[in-house]
Amino acid sequence: MCSATTPSLLPEDLTVKPIVQALPAQSSIHIIPSELLRDILSRLGLKANIHASLVCKTWFQVAVSVRKLQPRPWLFYQMNGEADGDYVLLDRLRSQAYKVYFSDLKDHEFSCSKDGWLLVSKKKFPSYLVFLFNPFTREHIYLPKAAPTSSCLVISLNDRSICSSIEIATWRPGETLWTTHRFENLLPGRRWKSCVFSNGVLYCLTTFSNIGIFDPSRATWNILPVEPCPAFFQVDLCRRVLMTEHEGGIFVMLTIRNKNPLMFKLNLKRNAWEEKRELGGLTVFASHPTSLTRAGLSVEERNRIYPSHNGHLGVYYSLGDGIISSRFPSSNYLSNRIAWVDPPHNNFNL
């Protein structure tokens, strides 16, 4: 069953709990070499970094210096009423829009967004053309070929809900062909609606709140014994079921245009869905291809969901108080042809 949680007064993920146990005297603390300390703290997520900064003044200074605050994602979409190749990159923070032209994105769909790259699929009879595309650098990488980084992994799940098997294909840098894995379909008749990669595995969600996990390192497929959540069972053609993750936490959003979305978090210890009335200070940029989370944004932006749509600034849903900023656009709401995308950390020219 799914359970509700009451909102806390302070954002849980951005604050720290009091330390009850006293620290030992300074003379008995083992001093970690500064370079090693910097390397250790640089590997921590934001929440763990904040906790580590409480140890002492030295740790505080190093933790702050290596603290990683992700930039706000930009919105990438096709201009309404324009030619097929006219697109916009929208920097929501600065209210700046850049018109760009990409002729080869006609009849495209975005399947995923990660580290500034979009996984694009286009219908090319009798199959699909799949490639990686960076709207900031204009790079195209057609699969299977070279990858943007050595750590790149592409996973494709073929949803054959009525078949007796699940088919998952993987591709890594250096491989010239896709590797196909077939597993017994333990949930026949259930459609796989959304997926997200976290903790080194791919979490896949059905329309009935079932969770399947594909581990690419072991090439295994398992179904988690998660208790069904009735909120997932409601059938609505306007509803979007979106998944996202933050530092290992798995979230699902049930959204309907101009209605309050529902947010659930997967409790992996209890194997149950828990409804969340606040996000612990997180901000979610929701889109059909991939929903991105951010921590440490301004107080006004925390506990908000920003849906993807064509060019409207400031449209959001506030999870804490249930406020919708304005009526959401009637067209292209959470379309698979609109995506939030991470901007590059270095300078770039559009």
Side-chain angles (χ1 to χ4, degrees), residues 32-45 49 62-63 65-66 68:
I32 300 178
S34 58
E35 290 302 317
L36 177 59
L37 179 62
R38 179 177 294 274
D39 181 63
I40 294 173
L41 298 185
S42 67
R43 300 171 186 267
L44 301 180
N49 178 288
V62 176
S65 69
V66 299
K68 299 175 181 178

Side-chain angles (χ1 to χ4, degrees), residues 232-286:
F232 287 71
F233 303 164
Q234 301 174 16
V235 178
D236 191 321
L237 297 178
C238 295
R239 188 174 70 168
R240 297 288 187 269
V241 180
L242 309 175
M243 296 187 75
T244 189
E245 68 88 30
H246 180 73
E247 296 187 356
I250 306 300
F251 298 86
V252 169
M253 291 168 285
L254 307 180
T255 68
I256 303 176
R257 186 186 298 119
N258 295 322
K259 292 186 179 180
N260 298 353
L262 300 177
M263 176 71 73
F264 294 87
K265 184 177 183 180
L266 179 62
N267 187 320
L268 292 172
K269 294 182 180 179
R270 295 178 50 231
N271 284 329
W273 292 104
E274 296 177 342
E275 184 176 356
K276 309 297 288 185
R277 301 296 174 83
E278 54 89 30
L279 296 174
L282 297 177
T283 305
V284 178
F285 296 88

Side-chain angles (χ1 to χ4, degrees), residues 194-239:
S194 187
C195 61
V196 66
F197 193 81
S198 182
N199 305 313
V201 299
L202 184 71
Y203 291 84
C204 303
L205 176 74
T206 73
T207 51
F208 288 88
S209 73
N210 308 105
I211 286 287
I213 295 183
F214 174 68
D215 187 339
S217 64
R218 300 178 180 180
T220 58
W221 170 259
N222 295 288
I223 304 297
L224 280 185
V226 177
E227 297 182 32
C229 184
F232 287 71
F233 303 164
Q234 301 174 16
V235 178
D236 191 321
L237 297 178
C238 295
R239 188 174 70 168

Side-chain angles (χ1 to χ4, degrees), residues 105 107-112 119-122 128 289 336-337:
L105 291 186
D107 299 325
H108 72 282
E109 292 182 358
F110 297 137
S111 301
C112 184
L119 182 62
V120 184
S121 61
K122 295 177 62 177
Y128 278 89
N336 58 7
R337 299 190 177 189

Side-chain angles (χ1 to χ4, degrees), residues 20 45 50 82 109 133 135 156 222 256 259 263 307 349:
V20 177
I50 295 174
E82 299 292 333
E109 292 182 358
F133 167 67
S156 171
N222 295 288
I256 303 176
K259 292 186 179 180
M263 176 71 73
N349 295 317

Side-chain angles (χ1 to χ4, degrees), residues 70-77 87-92 100 102 110 112-120 132-138 285-294 306 308 338-345 348 350:
Q70 294 176 295
R72 294 167 178 80
W74 290 28
L75 196 61
F76 183 61
Y77 61 92
Y87 286 81
V88 169
L89 272 167
L90 177 65
D91 181 355
R92 190 185 64 83
V100 288
F102 301 107
F110 297 137
C112 184
S113 175
K114 181 71 173 179
D115 296 332
W117 290 84
L118 293 169
L119 182 62
V120 184
L132 293 166
F133 167 67
N134 190 315
F136 296 96
T137 64
R138 298 176 175 268
F285 296 88
S287 69
H288 189 278
T290 301
S291 295
L292 305 175
T293 60
R294 291 293 185 269
Y306 290 91
S308 63
I338 307 174
W340 292 104
V341 58
D342 295 314
H345 294 282
F348 61 94
L350 293 175

Side-chain angles (χ1 to χ4, degrees), residues 153 155 166 168-170 172 179-184 200-202 213-222:
L153 170 66
I155 303 175
I166 294 291
I168 298 178
T170 61
R172 292 179 174 86
T179 300
T180 301
H181 311 271
R182 289 184 176 87
F183 307 97
E184 180 185 358
V201 299
L202 184 71
I213 295 183
F214 174 68
D215 187 339
S217 64
R218 300 178 180 180
T220 58
W221 170 259
N222 295 288

Side-chain angles (χ1 to χ4, degrees), residues 137-212:
T137 64
R138 298 176 175 268
E139 294 175 86
H140 293 65
I141 298 174
Y142 291 89
L143 302 182
K145 285 186 178 181
T149 65
S150 59
S151 60
C152 176
L153 170 66
V154 180
I155 303 175
S156 171
L157 187 149
N158 191 348
D159 180 16
R160 297 177 177 179
S161 57
I162 62 173
C163 296
S164 60
S165 64
I166 294 291
E167 185 176 292
I168 298 178
T170 61
W171 175 84
R172 292 179 174 86
E175 297 178 347
T176 57
L177 298 173
W178 292 83
T179 300
T180 301
H181 311 271
R182 289 184 176 87
F183 307 97
E184 180 185 358
N185 187 358
L186 301 176
L187 298 171
R190 304 288 176 89
R191 295 206 62 181
W192 298 100
K193 191 70 174 179
S194 187
C195 61
V196 66
F197 193 81
S198 182
N199 305 313
V201 299
L202 184 71
Y203 291 84
C204 303
L205 176 74
T206 73
T207 51
F208 288 88
S209 73
N210 308 105
I211 286 287

